[in-house]
């Protein structure tokens, strides 16, 4: 039922409402009550609504907004509650945020212990209307996990964040998949459950505000999320996803690769560990807890990783050539000076003597230095050779 006050007539001669009067209801004092049939008539005429109502203090969204503005706490939904998701949740809960979680596996008990509400059904989680949805799934599963979320159940504007160790991939995926009115923040906390177990102070946190609406509420929500890490003392680094991937392939991917190589190599702690050796042991410890999915994701989803792996391989080969070449040169020189020159068979013996602890190794001829200085024995030695 509509109600206005007016001294004017509010109906036409045919009994239809006088739309001119309706279009300017505050021009005079009029009084009209329209019963339901009249309202139907109104609809059949070309009456258009050109403005929506102003938000009232009792509206649901306004209440949420007021509540949000007063508090620093966020409602954060973690999607993918594995190793890293649980690690982040501990700090979120400690800071007083409300944390919800959903994962492929059932983590109800783990979540309860951490003070997190676990939802096995993503629909139930989305109906809780979290302000932030944080993707913590493996790099390889992220696309299918994201596509399984019922976006229509979320608030019409929600902030999506990811913590994947590669950045261009989730950025493009978010831009392609998420509704246009959702905000996007791509982040990479550059530490894990092992390296961050004693606190996050000084540890780098990379972020890229890919799409944050130009609205006070939306900007504040993004700042509040970033503040979680700033408050823990992280070194906040803003850079594009492309820059991140370029740097990370040369640092993080290589770190993980070396950690895995050394783990396979079988480093053991001894009583005489040097500081350098302790660093290697720590590297193995830091990377050993990470899943192979994570390592594989770093390789497959970072366009720069293959190039870095090849460079590492070349560097290793070059170091081997350098030390073998040096050794070869030295022994040849010694051989020809001390024994007046030796044949190929004796040369081989030298190689075997060097490897007394292991198997025999043929020293490759290309291990000699490029100037060929040691390829030929000194001229006087040549003369003595029969
Ligand atoms: P992860 O092996 O990379 O990911 C494990 C998570 O992915 C679990 O929540 C798991 O769910 C989910 N998952 C795996 N396969 C799935 C599938 N087919 N369908 C649905 N969910 C699937 O290990 P993580 O260490 O926990 O890393 C999580 C994310 O954080 C990754 O994107 C990683 O790059 C990033 N990150 C990790 C670190 C770190 O130090 N670990 C640091 C920074 C960023 P269920 O457990 O339910 O099976």
């Amino acid at each position: 039922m509509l109600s206005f006050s007016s001294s004017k007539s509010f109906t036409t001669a045919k009994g239809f409402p006088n739309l001119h009067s309706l279009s300017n209801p505050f021009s005079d004092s009029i009084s009209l009550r329209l019963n339901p049939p009249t309202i139907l008539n109104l609809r059949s005429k070309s009456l258009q609504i050109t403005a929506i109502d102003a938000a009232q203090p009792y509206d649901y969204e306004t209440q949420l907004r007021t509540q949000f503005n007063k508090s620093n706490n966020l409602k954060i939904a973690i999607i993918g509650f594995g190793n890293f998701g649980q690690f982040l949740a501990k700090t979120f809960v400690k800071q007083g945020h409300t944390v919800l979680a959903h994962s492929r596996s059932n983590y109800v008990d783990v979540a309860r212990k951490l003070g997190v509400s676990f939802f096995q059904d993503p629909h139930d989680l989305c109906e809780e209307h979290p302000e932030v949805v944080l993707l913590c799934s493996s790099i390889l599963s992220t696309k299918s996990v994201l596509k399984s979320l019922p976006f229509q159940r979320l608030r019409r504007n929600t902030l999506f964040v990811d913590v994947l160790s590669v950045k261009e991939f989730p950025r493009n995926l978010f831009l392609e998949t998420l509704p246009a009115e959702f905000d996007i923040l791509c982040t990479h906390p550059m530490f894990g459950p092992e390296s961050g177990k004693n606190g996050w102070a000084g540890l780098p946190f990379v972020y890229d505000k890919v799409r944050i609406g130009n609205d006070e509420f939306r900007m504040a929500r993004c700042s509040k999320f970033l503040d979680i890490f700033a408050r823990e003392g992280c070194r906040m680094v803003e850079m594009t996803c492309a820059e991140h991937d370029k740097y990370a392939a040369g640092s993080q991917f290589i770190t993980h690769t070396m950690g895995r190589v050394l783990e396979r190599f079988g480093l053991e702690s001894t009583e005489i560990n040097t500081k350098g050796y302790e660093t290697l042991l720590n590297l193995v410890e830091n990377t050993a807890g990470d899943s192979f999915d994570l390592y594989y994701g770093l390789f497959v989803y970072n366009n720069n990783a293959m190039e870095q792996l090849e460079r590492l391989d070349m560097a290793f080969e070059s170091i081997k050539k350098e030390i073998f070449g040096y050794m070869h040169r030295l022994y040849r020189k010694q051989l020809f000076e001390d024994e007046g020159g030796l044949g190929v068979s004796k040369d081989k013996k030298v190689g075997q003597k060097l490897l007394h602890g292991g198997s025999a190794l043929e020293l490759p001829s290309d291990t000699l230095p490029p100037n060929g200085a040691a390829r030929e024995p000194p001229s006087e030695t040549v003369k003595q050779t029969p």
Side-chain angles (χ1 to χ4, degrees):
M1 179 152 325
L2 291 171
S3 155
F4 296 99
S5 295
S6 173
S7 56
K8 289 182 179 174
S9 161
F10 227 93
T11 50
T12 62
K14 287 186 178 174
F16 289 119
N18 181 341
L19 294 179
H20 174 73
S21 305
L22 271 177
S23 67
N24 191 6
F26 304 110
S27 64
D28 211 336
S29 170
I30 52 174
S31 174
L32 175 74
R33 283 183 188 281
L34 298 174
N35 58 28
T38 317
I39 290 171
L40 282 178
N41 284 340
L42 270 173
R43 287 201 183 118
S44 67
K45 290 280 157 192
S46 60
L47 182 66
Q48 287 185 343
I49 295 172
T50 53
I52 55 166
D53 63 329
Q56 298 301 316
Y58 45 79
D59 281 352
Y60 174 63
E61 291 248 330
T62 312
Q63 280 179 5
L64 284 179
R65 204 171 263 243
T66 314
Q67 211 179 323
F68 174 84
N69 288 340
K70 278 190 196 154
S71 127
N72 268 329
N73 295 340
L74 290 166
K75 193 189 266 193
I76 305 170
I78 298 180
I79 311 293
F81 204 52
N83 193 19
F84 198 62
Q86 292 171 30
F87 168 69
L88 291 179
K90 285 179 203 153
T91 300
F92 295 171
V93 171
K94 184 190 81 182
Q95 287 194 10
H97 301 286
T98 303
V99 183
L100 323 172
H102 163 71
S103 208
R104 172 181 60 170
S105 314
N106 187 342
Y107 288 109
V108 174
D109 293 336
V110 180
R112 194 181 303 116
K113 283 184 197 137
L114 295 176
V116 171
S117 310
F118 188 81
F119 295 81
Q120 272 189 287
D121 187 333
H123 289 257
D124 293 338
L125 175 132
C126 290
E127 281 179 357
E128 292 291 315
H129 293 164
E131 283 130 4
V132 180
V133 173
L134 179 67
L135 241 70
C136 273
S137 42
S138 67
I139 299 170
L140 306 180
S141 67
T142 293
K143 190 170 183 179
S144 60
V145 169
L146 183 68
K147 292 201 167 168
S148 72
L149 295 179
F151 302 136
Q152 75 281 5
R153 298 203 187 279
L154 290 163
R155 295 171 74 175
R156 67 176 161 239
N157 179 264
T158 302
L159 170 63
F160 265 71
V161 185
D162 83 285
V163 291
L164 269 59
S165 307
V166 290
K167 293 273 54 78
E168 280 205 278
F169 163 65
R171 175 189 180 275
N172 296 340
L173 182 68
F174 276 177
L175 286 170
E176 269 166 29
T177 317
L178 293 177
E181 59 275 16
F182 281 14
D183 285 349
I184 299 173
L185 175 68
C186 288
T187 79
H188 183 198
M190 303 218 46
F191 47 89
E194 200 42 52
S195 52
K197 66 182 173 198
N198 298 320
W200 303 354
L203 301 175
F205 180 88
V206 176
Y207 64 97
D208 184 2
K209 292 178 184 174
V210 174
R211 186 174 74 197
I212 306 294
N214 191 19
D215 159 299
E216 210 178 310
F217 167 78
R218 290 162 74 167
M219 289 191 291
R221 181 176 56 190
C222 177
S223 300
K224 279 182 193 178
F225 182 80
L226 290 174
D227 203 40
I228 296 175
F229 297 88
R231 277 165 67 183
E232 294 298 314
C234 286
R235 188 159 55 78
M236 307 298 285
V237 185
E238 187 167 11
M239 66 167 64
T240 64
C241 292
E243 281 173 327
H244 166 277
D245 283 3
K246 197 172 117 221
Y247 295 138
S251 58
Q252 184 199 21
F253 175 66
I254 294 301
T255 307
H256 277 256
T257 303
M258 291 314 298
R260 283 182 178 270
V261 167
L262 292 173
E263 188 191 14
R264 206 156 284 189
F265 179 74
L267 291 190
E268 279 173 17
S269 187
T270 69
E271 280 178 25
I272 53 163
N273 289 353
T274 59
K275 287 212 162 156
Y277 191 67
E278 290 284 352
T279 311
L280 292 186
L281 290 170
N282 286 340
L283 173 63
V284 174
E285 201 179 314
N286 275 344
T287 46
D290 291 326
S291 68
F292 187 77
D293 267 14
L294 172 55
Y295 178 60
Y296 185 62
L298 291 179
F299 178 64
V300 174
Y301 287 88
N302 188 331
N303 291 334
N304 310 289
M306 175 63 96
E307 187 193 327
Q308 294 302 324
L309 194 63
E310 276 169 1
R311 281 190 57 208
L312 184 68
D313 199 33
M314 273 157 51
F316 191 59
E317 279 304 314
S318 139
I319 291 288
K320 264 176 31 188
K321 280 183 180 175
E322 194 178 330
I323 53 169
F324 286 167
Y326 185 80
M327 181 181 71
H328 196 202
R329 213 163 56 226
L330 209 72
Y331 273 94
R332 277 183 73 101
K333 194 165 176 254
Q334 222 175 31
L335 214 63
F336 287 105
E337 275 176 2
D338 297 351
E339 299 178 21
L342 289 169
V344 175
S345 57
K346 285 206 172 179
D347 205 359
K348 274 193 178 171
K349 255 192 197 167
V350 174
Q352 288 176 0
K353 197 169 134 199
L354 283 169
L355 295 168
H356 57 86
S359 55
L361 175 76
E362 293 271 352
L363 292 175
S365 58
D366 61 353
T367 55
L368 297 171
N371 62 14
R375 276 185 201 277
E376 297 299 330
S379 53
E380 56 277 19
T381 317
V382 174
K383 278 182 208 145
Q384 288 167 17
T385 308

